Amino acid sequence: MLEHRDMLNGLTKKSSLQEKLINIHHSLSDRFPFVVRIAVAVYDHKTKVLKTFLHSSAEENPLEHYQSLLDNAPSLKSILKSAKPRVINDLLELEEITHEHTKKINAQGYRASYTLPIYNEGQFVGFLFFNADKKDVFNEEVLNELDLYAHIISLYVVNEFGAIETMNAAIKTTGNLSHIRDPETGKHLDRMSHYSRIIAKELADKYDLDDNYIEHIFMFAPLHDIGKIGIPDSILLKPAALNSDEMAVMQTHASIGSEMVSDLLQNFGLSSFEHVDVLHNIAMHHHEAVDGSGYPKGIKGNEIPLEARIIAVADVFDALTSKRCYKEAWSNEEAIETLIKLADVTLDKDCVNALVKNITDIEEVQIRFKE
């Protein structure tokens, strides 16, 4: 009997998207050792920004935490116009050699690339890159094999994003989506999601955060208050301050949210998708306080998961700078002054400083997602 080793057997096991990408790269390396990196960049249709997401290279990633307007990358944009993959067998001849991302790629020693667009039901999702450390290696024979791997990777990426979209759709079908019943609007969710990404990106070096984790914080941020679906309208929509009994009911939305996440994951068969713990932590702990005065658990300091501390700062800042039926919008200066006072009291100081340091980017988000 012929013994055969299944090179892609690792894909059948429960593993993260990052681990699956590395597994595929290892399989490819036996056939094409010159392929030294596989990477995925995802596209945000609302901001028209292309963001690094995943990579398989063991060495330092040349484009960690990188983003750029797609309009600023004409050669990539031309791929979408032609609807065809792009082969560059000598990156030193690339016209966009002056661009930052091209300089970093060349500095890492990559000499050829194969780039394919990723689509989901006809909608552009992002790009998949195969980088080689030798030029003139992507011939027709090689490309035919790479295409098979490329479509496998694309399916995994699309499935990951589709899982999150499925959860959002499941919540919307209840007819009582929290941010429809709540005075907080969809624009609030857009803003605080982008604030959260800005904060996480600033903290990336200190906390060793990769692009995959940062992107999941961005995608999960809109679900932080899903537990408000379980709060009565008389409390959720009350235009005045809540009394102590009403506040106690309101505070249950954190625990309700975590329970809803568990139910959604189980009912839609999504329990195995990546960073499910991050989603649970965001729903459960975004109202915890670093001094232990928060809810529902009263945990403090670093006991509070980082993703929840990030969401808390983003959420509070947008609440302060937004108009509500019970208050006028504060100026950014007033809001920042308050955040600084709350740092190391109820809010995480690192997260507050990360937002303040990037106030220019915060203001751009406010302009784009203005009510």
Side-chain angles (χ1 to χ4, degrees):
M1 181 180 293
L2 178 65
E3 291 189 5
H4 171 68
R5 183 166 65 96
D6 181 2
M7 297 296 295
L8 294 175
N9 182 57
L11 299 181
T12 65
K13 301 176 182 178
K14 183 178 180 180
S15 59
S16 69
L17 191 58
Q18 178 85 38
E19 290 167 336
K20 285 181 169 65
L21 186 68
I22 293 173
N23 183 280
I24 290 172
H25 190 180
H26 285 167
S27 174
L28 262 177
S29 296
D30 288 345
R31 287 276 294 130
F32 309 120
F34 50 80
V35 175
V36 293
R37 177 178 180 262
I38 305 173
V40 176
V42 294
Y43 183 66
D44 183 346
H45 285 267
K46 291 183 178 180
T47 60
K48 303 185 185 306
V49 168
L50 194 65
K51 302 171 286 185
T52 51
F53 179 46
L54 293 173
H55 73 93
S56 66
S57 49
E59 71 274 8
E60 182 179 351
N61 184 24
L63 290 176
E64 193 79 41
H65 316 311
Y66 181 79
Q67 66 179 45
S68 174
L69 287 169
L70 183 57
D71 286 343
N72 291 339
S75 67
L76 291 178
K77 196 172 182 180
S78 67
I79 295 176
L80 296 184
K81 291 182 180 179
S82 67
K84 296 179 181 179
R86 181 192 69 179
V87 180
I88 299 178
N89 265 317
D90 188 351
L91 282 171
L92 295 178
E93 295 180 355
L94 187 64
E95 292 181 2
E96 294 181 25
I97 198 70
T98 57
H99 289 183
E100 181 183 354
H101 60 279
T102 309
K103 288 181 178 179
K104 290 183 176 181
I105 288 292
N106 283 326
Q108 193 67 35
Y110 303 143
R111 291 296 171 258
S113 72
Y114 181 40
T115 307
L116 305 91
I118 301 173
Y119 292 96
N120 181 21
E121 299 293 336
Q123 184 177 47
F124 175 57
V125 174
F127 288 109
L128 175 60
F129 303 91
F130 293 89
N131 294 123
D133 60 1
K134 294 180 174 59
K135 66 178 183 178
D136 300 324
V137 290
F138 291 124
N139 56 41
E140 198 65 28
E141 179 183 357
V142 171
L143 295 175
N144 285 337
E145 288 201 42
L146 287 185
D147 284 344
L148 297 175
Y149 288 93
H151 285 290
I152 292 173
I153 296 169
S154 296
L155 286 172
Y156 277 119
V157 172
V158 167
N159 181 66
E160 180 83 5
F161 282 76
I164 296 169
E165 290 176 2
T166 297
M167 282 201 300
N168 277 291
I171 295 169
K172 289 178 183 179
T173 56
T174 64
N176 289 313
L177 180 62
S178 59
H179 73 259
I180 290 178
R181 295 172 60 239
D182 195 331
E184 296 174 351
T185 67
K187 294 292 187 182
H188 159 71
L189 298 181
D190 282 327
R191 288 192 298 269
M192 61 85 58
S193 297
H194 282 83
Y195 297 162
S196 298
R197 188 177 189 278
I198 290 169
I199 294 170
K201 187 178 175 183
E202 179 63 34
L203 298 178
D205 289 340
K206 180 171 183 176
Y207 289 91
D208 193 25
L209 311 180
D210 61 23
D211 289 321
N212 189 6
Y213 173 85
I214 293 171
E215 192 64 21
H216 277 83
I217 287 181
F218 170 74
M219 291 187 288
F220 290 152
L223 298 174
H224 70 291
D225 269 342
I226 62 171
K228 286 184 177 179
I229 290 176
I231 304 301
D233 284 350
S234 59
I235 295 176
L236 186 66
L237 304 179
K238 185 177 180 179
L242 301 180
N243 62 38
S244 58
D245 290 338
E246 291 168 333
M247 180 59 70
V249 174
M250 174 64 86
Q251 291 181 354
T252 64
H253 82 270
S255 297
I256 292 173
S258 181
E259 292 171 2
M260 286 185 62
V261 167
S262 295
D263 289 343
L264 287 167
L265 294 173
Q266 182 175 354
N267 293 338
F268 285 84
L270 304 175
S271 299
S272 62
F273 81 80
E274 194 166 11
H275 289 310
V276 64
D277 57 326
V278 172
L279 178 53
H280 272 290
N281 289 337
I282 286 173
M284 173 69 87
H285 297 300
H286 67 282
H287 283 295
E288 299 288 1
V290 296
D291 64 358
S293 64
Y295 63 89
K297 299 293 185 180
I299 55 179
K300 59 184 179 180
N302 291 336
E303 295 174 349
I304 306 169
L306 177 60
E307 52 268 20
R309 287 180 269 153
I310 289 172
I311 296 295
V313 171
D315 195 27
V316 169
F317 178 78
D318 195 69
L320 293 175
T321 54
S322 298
K323 183 178 180 179
R324 296 287 186 265
C325 58
Y326 52 86
K327 63 175 279 291
E328 292 297 319
W330 292 18
S331 69
N332 285 349
E333 291 74 17
E334 291 172 319
I336 288 174
E337 184 178 346
T338 297
L339 290 186
I340 292 173
K341 290 179 180 178
L342 294 176
D344 269 349
V345 181
T346 58
L347 298 178
D348 181 270
K349 186 174 182 179
D350 285 344
C351 296
V352 169
N353 290 340
L355 184 145
V356 173
K357 185 177 179 180
N358 291 274
I359 191 62
T360 300
D361 292 335
I362 297 293
E363 290 171 346
E364 290 177 2
V365 172
Q366 289 175 321
I367 293 171
R368 180 174 292 275
F369 297 105
K370 187 176 181 180
E371 296 292 346

